[in-house]
Amino acid sequence: GFVAARLALLPDAVQPAAPPDAAAREAVVREFLESADARRVIREMKPSVSDAAEVVGDAARLAVAYAVDSNSGDPYHWSPTAATDLLLEWAPTRGDLPPDVVAWLPDVLDAFVMHAADRRDLSEPATLATRMAVALAALTGIVVLLGALVANLGAAAACQG
């Protein structure tokens, strides 16, 4: 009856796009590395990180992998929740990350979020909310690491005492 007639007026379901393959993912990373956002992070890293462009590329690949495999499937789709999850839940479970990539991941993700916002023409408030989540997650990660360090130092002192 009425419901069937109304449902018939709805457009056909749109099939989601297939996630980007390896070549498309690498193209996203290359495009990012050519952006002003990536170049800014590379400049900030030098001279303390000799292979700054490689570290930024590796961190960007990590962000793209998370977005495609564990989030929306779209490497340019970032939200405060996704950024927090990447930095505090997903990346820490990977034991194969080089220390420089771990250390610079929040900075690279912040730059990648700005690049993605430009590519998608996202609103400034939405972009700012995601960037604030990146900063908060980075600070939270530092606090967790400091807490673990203090606990380890306390345990070591107790063993010696």
Side-chain angles (χ1 to χ4, degrees):
F2 176 75
V3 172
R6 297 301 268 167
L7 288 173
L9 296 175
L10 293 174
D12 291 334
V14 175
Q15 294 297 322
D21 63 12
R25 292 177 190 209
E26 192 58 30
V28 169
V29 171
R30 276 193 317 273
E31 176 188 90
F32 170 66
L33 287 172
E34 295 170 1
S35 73
D37 299 311
R39 288 192 305 270
R40 177 186 47 79
V41 177
I42 291 168
R43 277 193 311 275
E44 290 172 3
M45 294 171 101
K46 291 182 176 180
S48 65
V49 178
S50 60
D51 54 349
E54 183 178 329
V55 171
V56 170
D58 289 346
R61 280 182 199 86
L62 192 66
V64 169
Y66 168 81
V68 171
D69 298 333
S70 299
N71 193 33
S72 68
D74 178 354
Y76 296 113
H77 181 84
W78 288 93
S79 67
T81 302
T84 301
D85 187 53
L86 167 64
L87 293 173
L88 296 180
E89 302 294 331
W90 191 79
T93 64
R94 298 180 51 114
D96 60 341
L97 299 178
D100 281 342
V101 172
V102 172
W104 285 94
L105 183 58
D107 296 87
V108 174
L109 181 58
D110 181 61
F112 194 88
V113 164
M114 289 191 302
H115 174 69
D118 288 342
R119 294 269 296 133
R120 293 286 193 241
D121 199 26
L122 294 180
S123 72
E124 189 173 329
T127 303
L128 183 59
T130 303
R131 293 186 69 206
M132 289 176 64
V134 169
L136 183 59
L139 288 173
T140 301
I142 290 170
V143 169
V144 168
L145 289 174
L146 287 175
L149 179 63
V150 168
N152 287 341
L153 290 174
C159 288
Q160 292 177 354

